[in-house]
Structures are given as C-alpha cells and as structure tokens.
Amino acid sequence: MDYLIHPLLDQETTNRLINSIVNDNCAWEDGKKTAGSYASLVKNNLQLDKRSQASISNSDLIIKAIKSDQLIKSFALPKRIHSLMFTKTSEGGDYGMHIDNPYMKEGRSDLSFTLFLSNPNDYHGGELCIQTIQDSKELKLDSGQILIYPSTSLHSVKKVTKGERLVCVGWIHSYIKSNEDRSILFGIDAGAKGILSQHGQSSELDLIFQSYSNLLRRLGE
C-alpha cells in the first residue's frame, strides 16, 4: 500500500485553525451523522457541522494548501478535493475498522486523507491504523502533517485514552482511478524531476516528460 506523509500547514496556521474550530462550541455534533449504516456502529467521535463558518473557511484553507503543494499534486493527481470534516475524539472515543464510501455527494473517493491538528504529545492513543495484507500500520503524525492513502484500505482510529484528538479528514477524486497506475505515474514524475534538478534539460528528458504526459492522457478520465 502506497501512502504519503507530508507537512502541509505551518504551526502558526495550525494553531489559528485549532482555535477557530475549538471556539465554535455550538457546532459540534455526533459523528455518526455522516457515517454509513455499518460505519455508524463503530464511530464514536464528534464532528464540526459542515455548515458552520469555522468549517467552511478552514476547509477552503486546507483545500487551497493541498492544491498548491507540488508533491501532493504529483502523488494524488487531484481532480476534486471534497467532503472535508473536522473531527474531535475525546477520552474513550474511537472509530472501529471500516472502509470509506466509494462515492459521496461531492465526488468519488480514490484517496483519503487525515490532516493531524493536535500535538501528538497532547493525547494518548488515537493512532490511525491502516490495514495491510499481513498487518496494520499505526500512524500518529505531528501537528500540521497530512497523511494521504488509498480509500480502498480498511482503517480505524484507536481509542483515545487521554486528552483530545483533533484532525481534519477528507477525500480526493483523482484523475487516475487506479492506485497502481497512480503509483507508476508518481514514480516517473518524481524521477524525471529529480534528473532535471541534477542535470538540467535534455532531449532524453523531453522524451520522458512526453511519455509521462501521454500516459496520463491515456489512463486519466
């Protein structure tokens, strides 16, 4: 399974974001409201009302940051970034093993992401667990870092035993539906840009970029 861990927001921006959503006390609601019929049985957290001003303005900020990040664009090839939610998991809360809905009101889910907001030292537990064929990857990132992974993966959030876990979750409708095809394109793009950085432009590199672009046309929607 291929996933990307990457710093998205600086600490000052993250702190402002946290203050704005934490202060919107009236807008928090049961997280089961947006879960599917199966996922709602294992979801124990709160989420910020998507219609609240804090949710709307901060969602726009995060989408803009993702769209302007060249590494994320190369990795995810985003056509649409959608359905962002701010979630709060307090002591005793968790989210059992589930898979994200393939289609949502705002778009298809090819890639899921979690933007970690809370400092990892401020809460115990709350690791994001992504199931692989043989085991489970447990991930808990620094404040302002984003994790992007295939929406085809079973995943869960371990129980928070102390403190409070704040994150933003969302989904990416990619121009490339297949995880394997997207991974191949990312490798070609990253390799070509690395060669360009070290050795400059060349006719051979022109052919690599040409092949990448035409492969993207062939595989994309």
Side-chain angles (χ1 to χ4, degrees):
M1 181 206 65
D2 292 315
Y3 58 84
L4 178 69
I5 294 174
H6 187 59
L8 183 69
L9 302 180
D10 61 44
Q11 196 58 60
E12 183 180 350
T13 303
T14 304
N15 289 340
R16 286 201 305 268
L17 191 159
I18 291 173
N19 289 334
S20 69
I21 64 173
V22 169
N23 291 333
D24 202 349
N25 292 323
C26 298
W28 291 94
E29 55 191 10
D30 192 336
K32 297 181 187 296
K33 184 175 180 179
T34 57
S37 57
Y38 179 75
S40 64
L41 300 175
V42 294
K43 188 175 186 180
N44 301 291
N45 62 14
L46 296 176
Q47 63 191 35
L48 195 63
D49 187 341
K50 287 186 176 183
R51 300 166 296 181
S52 69
Q53 185 55 47
S55 179
I56 292 170
S57 60
N58 287 301
S59 293
D60 289 343
L61 181 153
I62 292 168
I63 290 172
K64 183 178 179 180
I66 292 173
K67 285 182 175 179
S68 63
D69 191 288
Q70 294 303 311
L71 181 63
I72 294 178
K73 286 173 66 176
S74 177
F75 177 79
L77 296 168
K79 181 177 183 179
R80 190 173 189 186
I81 303 162
H82 62 89
S83 307
L84 276 69
M85 293 188 296
F86 296 91
T87 71
K88 179 195 302 185
T89 308
S90 302
E91 186 173 331
D94 61 2
Y95 196 167
M97 194 65 73
H98 65 285
I99 191 166
D100 294 332
N101 292 330
Y103 292 94
M104 302 177 183
K105 290 181 181 179
E106 299 179 27
R108 192 177 69 210
S109 60
D110 298 314
L111 292 159
S112 306
F113 66 82
T114 298
L115 172 62
F116 287 75
L117 301 174
S118 300
N119 187 307
N121 297 322
D122 290 343
Y123 64 100
H124 296 173
E127 294 85 355
L128 175 61
C129 303
I130 304 177
Q131 190 69 41
T132 64
I133 293 175
Q134 292 183 315
D135 56 15
S136 179
K137 299 289 185 183
E138 296 187 2
L139 299 157
K140 186 176 183 179
L141 305 186
D142 290 336
S143 179
Q145 286 192 314
I146 191 170
L147 168 67
I148 305 175
Y149 60 98
S151 298
T152 51
S153 308
L154 282 167
H155 57 283
S156 64
V157 176
K158 294 185 71 173
K159 184 172 291 187
V160 173
T161 58
K162 183 180 179 181
E164 188 172 77
R165 176 187 191 264
L166 288 171
V167 301
C168 175
V169 298
W171 291 268
I172 297 173
H173 180 163
S174 176
Y175 280 106
I176 303 296
K177 187 175 183 179
S178 164
N179 294 325
E180 183 178 5
D181 290 344
R182 202 183 313 111
S183 179
I184 292 170
L185 285 164
F186 179 59
I188 295 172
D189 188 45
K193 287 176 178 175
I195 294 171
L196 177 63
S197 175
Q198 292 187 34
H199 304 289
Q201 187 272 341
S202 67
S203 56
E204 292 82 5
L205 196 54
D206 288 342
L207 290 174
I208 295 175
F209 279 121
Q210 179 191 37
S211 297
Y212 171 83
S213 296
N214 290 332
L215 185 59
L216 183 57
R217 287 189 180 93
R218 181 172 182 175
L219 297 175
E221 55 181 34

